[in-house]
Amino acid sequence: MAQQNSSEQHSTGQDDARAGGSAGSRPDLSDVDGLSYEQAREQLVETVARLEAGGTTLEESLHLWERGEALATRCEQWLDGARERLDAARARREENREQSASED
């Protein structure tokens, strides 16, 4: 199975999906880990729209599905991190309230 040089692939991985690749080849998803929440969400919306529009080969659809799964996972990672930060901030606020109340 021939591998493509990652510098030859489009940053969203769409070139690989359009090309179809060989049976069983997997798209390069290494760029997904570096995306912000907003970038991942936007690319996920675009990927879902392409899947819903149809007109792609089975292999292209599989590549789009795999990319969509990776993008959804990236969004979940960002949201989980945001929840943890909010929970920590709330806990600090509550701790500060308790300390202020005990000092009075």
Side-chain angles (χ1 to χ4, degrees):
M1 208 181 306
Q3 287 184 324
Q4 286 183 317
N5 182 340
S6 62
S7 65
E8 295 173 1
Q9 293 180 337
H10 190 271
S11 65
T12 63
Q14 293 174 349
D15 288 348
D16 190 42
R18 284 188 194 119
S22 60
S25 66
R26 299 183 67 97
D28 179 12
L29 302 173
S30 61
D31 65 307
V32 172
D33 287 339
L35 297 176
S36 70
Y37 172 78
E38 291 78 7
Q39 291 168 324
R41 186 189 65 217
E42 180 62 30
Q43 287 186 27
L44 180 56
V45 168
E46 292 170 6
T47 301
V48 169
R50 287 187 63 202
L51 278 167
E52 289 177 342
T56 58
T57 66
L58 176 59
E59 189 66 24
E60 289 170 331
S61 295
L62 289 171
H63 284 237
L64 288 169
W65 181 270
E66 289 172 328
R67 182 154 187 86
E69 288 290 328
L71 291 165
T73 297
R74 184 64 179 147
C75 288
E76 287 177 18
Q77 290 169 340
W78 274 106
L79 292 173
D80 289 344
R83 279 186 205 100
E84 289 173 10
R85 289 173 62 189
L86 286 171
D87 290 344
R90 287 180 183 142
R92 283 191 305 272
R93 184 183 64 195
E94 187 61 31
E95 185 178 303
N96 289 339
R97 284 183 183 167
E98 290 173 2
Q99 285 178 348
S100 294
S102 68
E103 291 173 1
D104 290 340

